[in-house]
Amino acid sequence: MHVCVLGAGIIGLTTAYELTQRGHQVTVVDRTAPAAGASGGNGAQLSYSYVQPLADPGIWAQLPKLLLSPSSALKIRPQLDTHQWMWVVQFLQACNAQQSQKTTAQLLTLAAQSRAVFDALRERENIDCDFAMSGKLVLFRTEASFAAARQQMVLQKQLGGATQRAVSASEACTIEPALAHQQEPFSGAIYTDSECAADCKKVCEALTQILISRGVALRLGQDIQGWLQSGDKVAAVSLANSDQISADAFVLCTGHNAPVLAAAAGVRIPVYPLKGYSITVATDGQGLAPKVSITDSARKIVFARLGQRLRVAGMVELVGQDASVQARQIQTLQQATQALFPDCSRYTDIQPWAGMRPATPTGLPITGRQTTGPRNLFINAGQGALGFTLAFGSAVQLADELS
């Protein structure tokens, strides 16, 4: 078939790649360059084993502090937007133990599939993306949060997750010596030695070149205006320059913009942007910056080593479509980095970035054809903060259903 993939982030490009692997003719359309959105400066962690969804029952106890504290990692700016309010209500409804366990099980399965596909792709295509099986430490500031994490670790093990272990603060510093200089105490950590990190933007750039070499048509810098429908199918997608692209099937991978285009075709999807920030700093010495990926659970900030750089990312903001880079949030990331790793960089160039992570209330992505709408329109969106981790498995699931 001829398949038109809308979106050139990590979700769209992996989808296009998987479809070409199966012999389909593919056209990729995006209004910007590849990886210009949430894929460009994300947290870089491939979190295959620690997939605890944001919608967790523990959120209820944290909610007052998360909403009221000026230093909170979670920020909500109410909009005159029913979509935002509906998403928040559905998110809070998903913050229960039963849904959290169900989501965790499904995410672990999808993450394992994604890992196998990405491993095979890197070997097959020889992609240079600063990949490292660095392992990961998730740090917990309080004994209560550490106890909850140990329960989550037991659950993930029961569900077939990778081997993890709870370690004391001193053990964590032995695993990652750079933590020995951190300025604030923590109660303990969950360590997973099999976790990985890579530069998502470099993966996107490599996939773009591979797709071009295979004859995939890339229509970049093209705003998507809407659909031309014929009966119960999409006949073509219309572009801002009055051009049209006809295809046998269409896959919507436009991240946080997916709900608007989906709604124009009669499909409602509960995807909302969770804004996040990152900085990328040059490391000034092998022994000063962490080699192991670090997650500060209290601040919701992640640290991932990418060659001679350190990527620091975090924050969860529900602020509508405001993608601007806020100086205060960038300063928070820099201060958190200097508190944990005071000598890892001179911080002369921090490369500030902000991106909109498309998330569903439960944390489960939306993959495949929906019960309403055209029968040749497929969705691949809603991977949230796990977009890079789940991209390759989501692409396989989408291609399975489309084929």
Side-chain angles (χ1 to χ4, degrees):
M1 292 186 290
H2 176 208
V3 185
C4 181
V5 175
L6 306 177
I10 188 63
I11 303 298
L13 294 173
T14 52
T15 299
Y17 178 86
E18 185 63 30
L19 291 170
T20 62
Q21 285 289 99
R22 303 187 187 207
H24 298 296
Q25 177 190 352
V26 177
T27 298
V28 177
V29 184
D30 201 306
R31 65 182 181 181
T32 58
S39 304
N42 63 20
Q45 290 187 355
L46 291 161
S47 187
Y48 297 121
S49 301
Y50 201 89
V51 296
Q52 183 174 15
L54 184 63
D56 178 83
I59 203 78
W60 289 103
Q62 303 174 41
L63 207 54
K65 181 180 179 181
L66 288 173
L67 293 177
L68 300 175
S69 172
S71 61
S72 171
L74 173 64
K75 178 181 179 181
I76 299 179
R77 186 192 304 157
Q79 309 287 307
L80 293 175
D81 178 9
T82 56
H83 185 48
Q84 183 195 55
W85 288 100
M86 288 175 61
W87 192 95
V88 171
V89 169
Q90 291 174 323
F91 170 77
L92 292 175
Q93 289 174 338
C95 292
N96 63 81
Q98 183 179 7
Q99 180 62 59
S100 181
Q101 290 183 17
K102 179 181 177 182
T103 300
T104 298
Q106 292 178 270
L107 289 177
L108 282 172
T109 299
L110 182 56
Q113 181 182 32
S114 200
R115 178 178 200 143
V117 174
F118 188 32
D119 286 349
L121 185 150
R122 289 198 327 278
E123 183 175 353
R124 182 168 57 245
E125 305 291 355
N126 194 28
I127 290 178
D128 177 16
C129 58
D130 291 321
F131 176 85
M133 189 184 292
S134 51
K136 182 167 73 173
L137 282 162
V138 183
L139 309 183
F140 298 92
R141 298 288 175 184
T142 66
E143 185 53 44
S145 62
F146 188 30
R150 293 196 295 270
Q151 291 180 346
Q152 176 73 10
M153 181 183 70
V154 171
L155 170 64
Q156 292 181 161
K157 184 176 181 180
Q158 293 171 343
L159 295 173
T163 300
Q164 299 173 305
R165 59 190 176 99
V167 298
S168 66
S170 61
E171 289 176 301
C173 293
T174 300
I175 293 169
E176 177 45 75
L179 283 172
H181 304 287
Q182 57 88 31
Q183 298 170 4
E184 297 180 15
F186 58 97
S187 295
I190 302 297
Y191 177 55
T192 313
D193 63 1
S194 59
E195 296 287 58
C196 309
D199 189 327
C200 186
K201 185 177 181 180
K202 285 189 176 183
V203 173
C204 288
E205 291 169 346
L207 285 174
T208 299
Q209 294 306 311
I210 293 167
L211 292 173
I212 291 173
S213 71
R214 295 186 178 181
V216 170
L218 265 71
R219 302 288 297 273
L220 303 178
Q222 303 277 1
D223 269 317
I224 302 163
Q225 294 295 296
W227 311 99
L228 297 176
Q229 294 186 227
S230 177
D232 63 350
K233 298 177 69 176
V234 173
V237 61
S238 59
L239 306 179
N241 62 358
S242 300
D243 199 2
Q244 298 175 1
I245 299 175
S246 302
D248 300 307
F250 298 81
V251 187
L252 190 54
C253 307
T254 52
H256 72 281
N257 292 313
V260 176
L261 287 170
V267 179
R268 302 289 178 181
I269 56 174
V271 171
Y272 194 81
L274 302 185
K275 185 179 180 181
Y277 298 83
S278 79
I279 61 174
T280 307
V281 300
T283 58
D284 295 330
Q286 291 288 336
L288 302 178
K291 295 181 180 179
V292 176
S293 289
I294 306 293
T295 296
D296 186 334
S297 64
R299 293 191 176 98
K300 298 194 182 323
I301 296 177
V302 301
F303 305 82
R305 184 74 170 265
L306 297 173
Q308 298 304 309
R309 299 168 295 150
L310 184 67
R311 173 69 50 78
V312 184
M315 317 295 178
V316 178
E317 295 186 347
L318 283 80
V319 293
Q321 301 296 326
D322 178 12
S324 62
V325 179
Q326 298 294 316
R328 177 181 294 180
Q329 305 294 51
I330 296 302
Q331 183 181 28
T332 296
L333 290 179
Q334 181 173 339
Q335 290 173 344
T337 309
Q338 290 175 310
L340 268 180
F341 311 110
D343 300 316
C344 81
S345 175
R346 295 186 180 90
Y347 299 99
T348 54
D349 179 13
I350 61 173
Q351 299 181 34
W353 177 90
M356 313 297 274
R357 298 166 294 199
T360 64
T362 63
L364 289 172
I366 299 169
T367 309
R369 192 173 75 84
Q370 305 305 292
T371 55
T372 60
R375 61 187 180 90
N376 65 336
L377 176 62
F378 298 79
I379 311 292
N380 192 0
Q383 284 80 4
L386 292 173
F388 190 19
T389 298
L390 303 178
F392 304 89
S394 296
V396 169
Q397 290 190 0
L398 187 286
D400 285 344
E401 182 167 338
L402 188 147
S403 297

